[in-house]
Amino acid sequence: MTVHVEKTDDLAFVTIDNPPVNAAGQAVRAGLIGAIADTDADDTVKAVILRAKGATFTAGADVSEFDKPAAPPHLPDVILALETTTKPWIAALHGSILGGGLEIALGCNYRIADARSKLGLPEVTLGLIPGAGGTVRLPRLIDPIAALTMISSGKPVTAAKALSLRLIDAVAGGDMSKDAIALARTAIAQPLPAPLSQRPAVAVNDADALNAAKDSLRKKARGATAPKAAIDAVQRALDLPADQALKAERETFMRLKSSRECAALRRVFFAERSAAKLPMVKGLDPAPLNTIGVIGGGTMGAGIAAACLLRGLPVTLIERDDKARATGYDRVAGVLKNSLDRGLMDQAKHDFTLAMFKSSTDYADLSNADLVIEAVFEDMDVKHGVLAALDRVLRKDAIIASNTSYLDINVMAAQTAHPSRVIGLHFFSPAYIMKLVEVIITDHASPTALATGFALAKRLGKIAVPAGVCDGFIGNRIMTAYRRKGEIMVEDGAWPWDIDAAMRDFGFPMGLFEMQDLAGLDISWAMRKRQAATRDPATRYVNLGDKLCEAGRLGKKTGAGWYDYNEGRAVKSELVETLILDESKRKGITRKKFPQDVLIGTILTTMQTEANALFAEGIAQRSEDIDVVMVNGYGFPRWRGGPMFMGNDHSKR
Ligand code: COA
Ligand code: NAD
């Protein structure tokens, strides 16, 4: 039974039990209708407590049902039935209360939530708006600006925030059951409150603030449709009687459900969860992860150490000398302090977390580490030195991961005593924020080493994508290809700022030249120098990037790169314009104009061509993996589904 009813004294407990996340699929909806009928008909029942088994109340509609015809009872009808019960229903909430889950809770008369729960209407992240009354009932319960923000951004709120918004009536203490029963007793003694759909919308106190919030949310949505449809739906909820607003909401939901944006976002959602399910690691137990070692406390090492600590994993950081050790320590401590200052952790948690962090210059301090990630300079000799030192001190079953961006991890592994324990874990910067990790499958990696790499990524809350060994793995290799193509277009007549504008208009947060300036042009310069000896002389080579670096224009950090920087703001550079014109002339190129759709079309085609080469070489396993990498690591607009999704149907671009 996905919904069962138990009765004790004058209370009924209705429990949703539909693992893994209690999605409100057809069986749950039918179960709820049955539970409403049962408890309504039973005169001994005076109040009903609605709760759920497992880690989460409910994750909302069952997204896997979206491709099938909708089967009754429909969620809006279940919630209307809840609103018309004759007994008070108390929603006892825990874990994630999302989408249809929160809409169900809004159909109840009272809501109490566990202190750690998260409540939200994330439908826009799937290209939808709430379709079971969320846009209509929420602004009838809480401040309309807060409701608008929750619905159009899709971001959940904590239980404490929900209480302050009066979205919930209480936060449970240690014992949810006891507190929910107490709330039920209070409810029995009072008249039933009017259902939300029969109440007027909460008054808008500040129309200007509402308009400003709408403008800001529209801007954040960039090209995505759903967040804008959500804004319109909330406005309708404020302007229209509830029944009309509910009807319009449902129509919008049904229209969006069959949109390409919704299909794109659903694909990314499921692809992110299935990427780590490699057949070769299926059913394998990962090695335990009690202590993590990190070598190198620079940008990446410090970020990775912080990511581990923030997820409760003790870390020992090794640096090459005491000065670098102290700097690395401060970097990591700075991230933790920032979390404290932003209220993401309290002082006790901060102190506890910092106490799990050790730094040293002695590799022997890693003798008990379960997994060690190296993030030292991008130089094969330095990496070899580090791996040799690790070979001497690590337990035989400990796993070694390299965070290299471009170097050949098979070559690194071959130099060690146990190549089977060497894998790649390619994090993105800043590693404690960026969700993506490429798990690099080296030639001799043991399945357990790989399973442990995926397990670490999961523990860190990351999205892990498998990739084979090549220069740049999946993401950097594709990025190198479209960067090269972008530079060729610049030599042929486009301007960097035109390409950047085309990418931004398409939905990237920034264009590829702005992105290079931000990351620093010296990283790819070093890679090009390394490849110079083996480069095919027949391949067209654009040396604009080299010339910028030679002129000391290493990007934003030096105040100049592809752009000049005026108080941190990128502005067109006359010097770069001249450099480009000179270079085109030197190569005898007649510069031509590129329309914007050609610029973005060429970038996309380059991504797809490189991705197909990655499949052919066995580096990437599935087209969805490419999309997950591009969306989560390179700013590809999520709502477009990724370059491979788009490649299947260019007409819908
Ligand atoms: N419908 C169908 N399946 C869902 C689902 C949903 N709404 N939400 C999660 N799942 C599935 C996942 O695909 C995954 O399946 P798998 O084990 O076969 O890969 C499983 O439930 C566990 O989900 P996962 O995300 O890995 O678990 P988590 O504990 O990290 O996160 C949630 C749990 C609820 C926070 C997260 O799954 C989530 O945000 N779900 C979507 C919520 C949403 O957008 N609801 C609105 C729907 S319109
Ligand atoms: P960085 O220069 O900021 O840091 C490297 C650190 O390694 C320095 O603190 C240095 O003191 C330390 N180090 C050098 N040799 C050492 C040794 N023998 N023992 C211990 N510590 C040593 O470099 P970074 O940007 O953090 O990059 C580190 C690695 O991560 C490189 O392989 C790089 O390609 C990769 N990477 C970088 C990024 C990025 O965006 N910066 C992203 C992904 C991967």
Side-chain angles (χ1 to χ4, degrees):
M1 288 281 275
T2 49
V3 176
H4 40 90
V5 182
E6 291 154 75
K7 293 170 189 168
T8 311
D9 303 328
D10 54 353
L11 296 180
F13 294 84
V14 174
T15 309
I16 302 173
D17 183 6
N18 185 27
V21 290
N22 293 318
Q26 196 276 338
V28 169
R29 299 193 300 269
L32 285 173
I33 289 284
I36 293 166
D38 174 351
T39 53
D40 252 2
D42 188 337
D43 287 342
T44 64
V45 173
K46 298 288 180 251
V48 183
I49 293 174
L50 175 63
R51 61 189 182 183
K53 253 188 135 171
T56 222
F57 179 73
T58 134
D62 186 339
V63 184
S64 63
E65 281 184 355
F66 281 11
D67 288 325
K68 304 170 199 153
H74 305 296
L75 197 54
D77 300 329
V78 175
I79 294 166
L80 278 177
L82 271 174
E83 278 199 330
T84 44
T85 54
T86 52
K87 330 256 158 98
W89 276 60
I90 291 91
L93 309 167
H94 75 286
S96 299
I97 303 98
L98 299 176
L102 183 55
E103 290 174 304
I104 290 171
L106 291 173
C108 296
N109 307 93
Y110 299 92
R111 287 155 290 278
I112 177 167
D114 178 273
R116 287 183 306 267
S117 48
K118 293 261 166 69
L119 302 92
L121 292 169
E123 283 84 349
V124 292
T125 63
L126 291 170
L128 294 163
I129 64 166
T135 68
V136 180
R137 290 190 180 90
L138 195 59
R140 282 170 164 71
L141 180 65
I142 68 170
D143 169 58
I145 297 181
L148 172 80
T149 307
M150 279 180 71
I151 295 168
S152 177
S153 74
K155 288 202 183 109
V157 295
T158 59
K161 177 78 182 169
L163 185 64
S164 73
L165 291 171
R166 300 182 185 217
L167 168 52
I168 55 175
D169 302 286
V171 174
D175 186 345
M176 164 62 94
S177 184
K178 190 167 140 257
D179 291 357
I181 291 172
L183 188 54
R185 295 261 163 255
T186 312
I188 292 169
Q190 288 173 0
L192 267 184
L196 289 175
S197 70
Q198 287 171 27
R199 297 188 205 172
V202 176
V204 176
N205 289 328
D206 184 341
D208 290 344
L210 181 67
N211 286 332
K214 282 194 207 166
D215 288 346
S216 152
L217 289 161
R218 265 194 208 101
K219 210 165 151 208
K220 280 195 193 126
R222 294 206 187 90
T225 307
K228 293 170 195 156
I231 296 172
D232 295 343
V234 174
Q235 187 60 56
R236 273 197 307 267
L238 299 178
D239 296 342
L240 297 179
D243 57 343
Q244 290 178 32
L246 283 171
K247 189 163 171 281
E249 178 201 75
R250 191 68 183 168
E251 281 164 8
T252 308
F253 173 83
M254 294 309 282
R255 177 170 52 77
L256 292 178
K257 195 163 88 117
S258 54
S259 70
R260 187 158 171 88
E261 183 174 310
C262 180
L265 288 165
R266 272 185 287 148
R267 188 175 105 123
V268 176
F269 176 85
F270 285 115
E272 285 173 348
R273 285 159 178 78
S274 60
K277 291 179 183 157
L278 267 193
M280 72 186 288
V281 300
K282 198 168 172 222
L284 269 185
D285 285 334
L289 287 169
N290 297 320
T291 308
I292 304 296
V294 175
I295 320 288
T299 309
M300 291 311 291
I304 294 166
C308 294
L309 289 163
L310 288 169
R311 290 286 175 144
L313 280 166
V315 174
T316 300
L317 175 79
I318 304 289
E319 258 290 356
R320 55 192 167 139
D321 56 41
D322 206 51
K323 187 161 171 263
R325 184 205 58 75
T327 310
Y329 182 92
D330 289 348
R331 276 197 189 105
V332 177
V335 176
L336 300 186
K337 173 79 169 48
N338 194 265
S339 285
L340 174 69
D341 292 346
R342 292 175 56 210
L344 302 176
M345 56 164 77
D346 60 20
Q347 188 70 50
K349 177 94 189 286
H350 169 271
D351 297 351
F352 180 79
T353 307
L354 192 60
M356 293 193 300
F357 179 43
K358 306 269 175 291
S359 64
S360 169
T361 53
D362 185 356
Y363 279 75
D365 288 334
L366 293 177
S367 58
N368 205 27
D370 299 304
L371 184 148
V372 177
I373 304 163
E374 76 73 18
V376 299
F377 298 139
E378 186 75 337
D379 178 296
M380 195 52 113
D381 290 339
V382 178
K383 304 269 191 204
H384 279 322
V386 167
L387 294 190
L390 289 176
D391 254 349
R392 285 193 290 275
V393 299
L394 291 188
R395 286 196 327 257
K396 274 204 196 62
D397 60 336
I399 290 153
I400 302 176
S402 171
N403 182 50
T404 179
S405 305
Y406 292 99
L407 299 177
D408 188 332
I409 310 181
N410 282 329
V411 172
M412 284 184 213
Q415 301 273 322
T416 66
H418 309 284
S420 65
R421 65 163 156 179
V422 180
I423 61 169
L425 285 177
H426 183 230
F427 289 82
F428 289 71
S429 180
Y432 52 93
I433 292 180
M434 293 289 283
K435 288 281 239 174
L436 183 66
V437 177
E438 288 173 308
V439 178
I440 313 303
I441 308 172
T442 50
D443 284 352
H444 300 289
S446 73
T448 301
L450 288 167
T452 310
F454 283 110
L456 176 67
K458 192 169 168 61
R459 176 83 190 264
L460 300 184
K462 307 283 184 205
I463 296 162
V465 176
V469 176
C470 72
D471 224 342
F473 315 119
I474 295 177
N476 277 347
R477 176 145 149 205
I478 293 178
M479 197 260 289
T480 303
Y482 69 81
R483 188 185 59 215
R484 196 180 292 141
K485 193 72 184 179
E487 290 173 5
I488 287 176
M489 287 194 285
V490 166
E491 232 179 33
D492 286 346
W495 297 109
W497 23 95
D498 291 342
I499 296 179
D500 283 352
M503 289 181 75
R504 260 187 275 108
D505 281 358
F506 179 79
F508 281 91
M510 65 176 82
L512 78 92
F513 294 95
E514 297 163 287
M515 196 249 308
Q516 287 184 67
D517 271 3
L518 198 64
L521 302 186
D522 44 335
I523 298 177
S524 48
W525 189 30
M527 182 195 58
R528 289 193 299 273
K529 282 197 269 194
R530 188 164 48 78
Q531 291 173 334
T534 52
R535 189 176 297 127
D536 178 0
T539 308
R540 179 167 169 184
Y541 184 73
V542 179
N543 65 6
L544 288 166
D546 299 347
K547 292 206 158 168
L548 291 174
C549 291
E550 284 156 15
R553 299 179 67 101
L554 301 184
K556 199 169 177 185
K557 63 185 172 189
T558 57
W562 288 100
Y563 290 84
D564 289 338
Y565 286 86
N566 189 351
E567 290 178 0
R569 214 168 47 83
V571 287
K572 279 185 204 174
S573 164
E574 279 181 26
L575 194 143
V576 171
E577 249 173 24
T578 309
L579 180 79
I580 292 169
L581 289 174
D582 287 352
E583 198 53 21
S584 303
K585 198 166 160 200
R586 187 181 70 80
K587 288 198 172 170
I589 295 166
T590 309
R591 292 177 63 77
K592 59 178 181 192
K593 270 204 167 338
F594 286 87
Q596 200 178 54
D597 60 333
V598 174
L599 293 176
I600 193 66
T602 308
I603 299 275
L604 276 181
T605 313
T606 309
M607 287 179 183
Q608 288 150 358
T609 307
E610 198 62 32
N612 287 328
L614 287 167
F615 289 132
E617 293 165 33
I619 304 293
Q621 318 227 342
R622 308 175 321 156
S623 103
E624 289 95 320
D625 290 352
I626 306 270
D627 288 338
V628 170
V629 168
M630 297 314 292
V631 164
N632 289 291
Y634 298 83
F636 197 100
R638 188 179 179 88
W639 56 273
R640 289 192 187 266
M644 304 313 281
F645 179 78
M646 290 189 70
N648 291 333
D649 187 356
H650 286 275
S651 64
K652 301 269 174 55
R653 198 179 279 161

